[in-house]
Amino acid sequence: MGGGGQQTESRRGGSAVYTWEEVQKHCHRSDQWLVIDRKVYNITQWAKRHPGGIRVISHFAGEDATEAFVAFHLDPNFVRKFLKPLLIGELAPTEPSQDHGKNAALVQDFQALRDRVEKEGLLRARPLFFSLYLGHILLLEALALGLLWVWGTSWSLTLLCSLMLATSQAQAGWLQHDYGHLSVCKKSVWNHKLHKFVIGHLKGASANWWNHRHFQHHAKPNIFRKDPDINSLHVFVLGDKQPVEYGIKKLKYMPYHHQHQYFFLIGPPLIVPVFFNIQIFRTMFSQRDWVDLAWAMSFYLRFFCCYYPFFGFFGSVALISFVRFLESHWFVWVTQMSHLPMEMDHERQQDWLTMQLSATCNIEQSTFNDWFSGHLNFQIEHHLFPTMPRHNYHLVAPLVRALCEKHGVPYQVKTLQKGMTDVVRSLKKSGDLWLDAYLHK
């Protein structure tokens, strides 16, 4: 059917019926359909106006997006109002509710688990938890500045100040993550406002840049061309398949068989202070995102007003660069240990639970691990329920584990040390696969 015919059906209230085979043909940039609760929608034009960005919704073109739709929206019933003009029909009665041969029993069991989670109030946040969390970040900022006011700028005190600021920045990174996922406030608008304050004024970054990047990661974790977190720009080869593909094609942008070694030089030290900062400011200027730019500039203005009297201009630049350097190590190890050693592949159209579990693992719970990782040691639960407040992850974890055991889905939990060492092991394994393919295939 042509695009004009699809729009005609939309104006008639979506009376047409389609097969999965027909839906799956519309998965191109200029022609995109998707299915939510058996309803078929033409999102070709509307995708450009999607608040979460065009890419995240386009990743589900030609597929069933029901589970992702429910997972990402605080109030799916409210959002459905915006879908009505896009409705072009529904699946034929003879068609199954799941596409690509997904396990219907698993999908239904996960939906039952989500219904239980909602009924037990596990998607509701405790305001006191997040207020105290913000308080400890601001306290660290104040103490770092107070050190210099009271005792001066000796090398030892400057180092201690840097460590406190890096801790504050890392913890603010976990807090902005909470607001970005709409998991703190009941209304989305307040989550968005506070997100801009935390990521902008407390960290000097961009909320819109983070949203459009991070939600792609959640929608299709560890899927090449869809998850920006594994777009290594030819610096690394990841997983089991990409190294072999590069090796067969004789691609050698870097000495990949040594990537587990040069990772320590260009991975943790440079991701935040160099790669992310360049991306953030380039995105804000190219998108003319002046609101986010103003928030980011307010961070740097506050920082230089506080530390210029002690270190001068170049000294303050050196201080913030060193803080970013320390924060970057913290960020990279926490985020990569839950994903990098896991499966990486091209699109496989899996159900929500199987897709998330194949790409994520947990780190053991402890008071330190919870604080150190911003509760992202419960990466599995976070990916399954991205709008769930973090203080409830440990409550839903046993239920998720039981469901995984029932359906034979691997549920991995590692120690903090093993999680970090597995990052290096996975890089070495991928590098060895590349070298073998490069030399012998």
Side-chain angles (χ1 to χ4, degrees):
M1 293 184 183
Q6 295 156 14
Q7 294 302 317
T8 301
E9 293 294 350
S10 177
R11 289 194 294 269
R12 291 176 181 173
S15 57
V17 293
Y18 301 99
T19 63
W20 278 117
E21 183 180 2
E22 290 173 308
V23 171
Q24 289 162 8
K25 293 177 182 177
H26 300 270
C27 60
H28 309 288
R29 184 167 188 155
S30 59
D31 181 19
Q32 299 182 342
W33 293 8
L34 55 72
V35 175
I36 298 174
D37 290 329
R38 299 187 61 87
K39 303 292 184 183
V40 182
Y41 300 92
N42 183 345
I43 62 166
T44 306
Q45 297 302 320
W46 186 81
K48 301 172 185 176
R49 304 194 300 274
H50 181 234
I54 184 173
R55 290 184 179 180
V56 66
I57 192 171
S58 297
H59 289 340
F60 287 95
E63 299 180 28
D64 177 42
T66 305
E67 293 182 297
F69 176 79
V70 173
F72 285 134
H73 298 99
L74 276 183
D75 187 354
N77 291 328
F78 173 77
V79 180
R80 281 187 176 91
K81 297 177 182 178
F82 298 94
L83 289 175
K84 285 184 179 180
L86 312 177
L87 181 66
I88 59 172
E90 59 185 33
L91 293 174
T94 54
E95 290 293 298
S97 295
Q98 282 74 44
D99 59 335
H100 293 95
K102 295 174 184 174
N103 186 335
L106 191 156
V107 172
Q108 291 167 6
D109 282 351
F110 179 70
Q111 181 56 50
L113 173 59
R114 182 174 181 88
D115 292 341
R116 177 178 174 180
V117 163
E118 293 178 354
K119 183 178 179 181
E120 294 183 3
L122 296 181
L123 297 180
R124 292 198 296 269
R126 297 201 304 265
L128 180 62
F129 174 91
F130 291 101
S131 298
L132 292 175
Y133 201 88
L134 174 60
H136 107 285
I137 292 168
L138 298 177
L139 180 62
L140 283 168
E141 295 261 358
L143 289 175
L145 186 61
L147 276 177
L148 305 181
W149 275 107
V150 176
W151 286 293
T153 57
S154 67
W155 280 105
S156 59
L157 287 173
T158 300
L159 177 60
L160 181 57
C161 173
S162 300
L163 291 172
M164 295 175 74
L165 288 174
T167 301
S168 173
Q169 285 295 294
Q171 294 299 324
W174 309 142
L175 182 60
Q176 69 81 21
H177 178 266
D178 296 316
Y179 287 114
H181 274 292
L182 313 179
S183 63
V184 182
C185 303
K186 291 182 180 180
K187 293 186 177 296
S188 295
V189 63
W190 282 107
N191 282 298
H192 290 309
K193 289 179 184 294
L194 290 168
H195 186 214
K196 287 187 180 296
F197 167 74
V198 176
I199 196 174
H201 185 66
L202 296 186
K203 290 193 60 62
S206 165
N208 287 332
W209 167 83
W210 183 89
N211 281 334
H212 291 178
R213 178 188 176 91
H214 191 67
F215 283 118
Q216 290 184 73
H217 161 68
H218 269 268
K220 296 287 184 175
N222 284 12
I223 302 297
F224 292 115
R225 300 181 183 274
K226 293 189 176 183
D227 180 358
D229 284 8
I230 61 171
N231 178 12
S232 62
L233 302 175
H234 304 303
V235 177
F236 302 100
V237 287
L238 306 175
D240 294 338
K241 294 190 175 180
Q242 187 186 56
V244 176
E245 292 170 359
Y246 272 51
I248 291 174
K249 295 177 182 178
K250 307 303 177 186
L251 298 178
K252 188 181 181 182
Y253 297 98
M254 297 285 285
Y256 296 122
H257 54 301
H258 294 301
Q259 65 178 7
H260 62 292
Q261 297 167 324
Y262 67 71
F263 170 77
F264 290 94
L265 299 176
I266 62 178
L270 301 182
I271 288 292
V272 172
V274 178
F275 180 67
F276 277 2
N277 268 331
I278 291 173
Q279 261 203 349
I280 288 167
F281 281 95
R282 184 175 63 188
T283 300
M284 289 191 293
F285 279 106
S286 65
Q287 300 295 325
R288 293 185 171 87
D289 192 350
W290 309 129
V291 173
D292 276 13
L293 181 62
W295 275 112
M297 288 298 98
S298 75
F299 164 81
Y300 288 101
L301 178 63
R302 174 175 60 86
F303 185 89
F304 280 98
C305 284
C306 289
Y307 292 99
Y308 180 86
F310 299 102
F311 301 107
F313 177 77
F314 291 106
S316 298
V317 171
L319 177 63
I320 188 60
S321 299
F322 184 54
V323 169
R324 293 279 189 240
F325 170 82
L326 294 174
E327 177 201 358
S328 188
H329 283 79
W330 193 329
F331 170 83
V332 169
W333 286 108
V334 168
T335 56
Q336 296 309 305
M337 64 186 178
S338 296
H339 292 296
L340 200 64
M342 305 301 290
E343 289 183 30
M344 296 186 186
D345 207 338
H346 300 285
E347 180 61 76
R348 290 186 292 177
Q349 285 91 21
Q350 296 172 304
D351 64 85
W352 185 253
L353 184 137
T354 303
M355 176 176 66
Q356 302 297 343
L357 268 292
S358 69
T360 59
C361 68
N362 280 2
I363 302 299
E364 287 180 343
Q365 182 187 19
S366 72
T367 301
F368 175 78
N369 287 355
D370 292 354
W371 174 83
F372 179 73
S373 67
H375 288 84
L376 293 181
N377 50 327
F378 288 98
Q379 192 71 209
I380 291 172
E381 287 69 33
H382 169 58
H383 265 256
L384 291 177
F385 307 100
T387 62
M388 178 179 287
R390 62 161 96 169
H391 51 68
N392 288 335
Y393 292 158
H394 72 284
L395 298 175
V396 75
L399 305 178
V400 172
R401 186 193 285 265
L403 179 59
C404 290
E405 289 177 354
K406 176 181 177 180
H407 290 278
V409 178
Y411 182 104
Q412 293 192 42
V413 183
K414 303 177 181 179
T415 63
L416 183 63
Q417 180 181 359
K418 188 175 189 312
M420 291 182 174
T421 55
D422 278 356
V423 170
V424 182
R425 288 196 188 104
S426 68
L427 287 170
K428 186 179 188 308
K429 177 185 176 184
S430 297
D432 290 344
L433 287 171
W434 169 82
L435 183 61
D436 181 66
Y438 187 83
L439 295 176
H440 304 115
K441 296 184 180 180

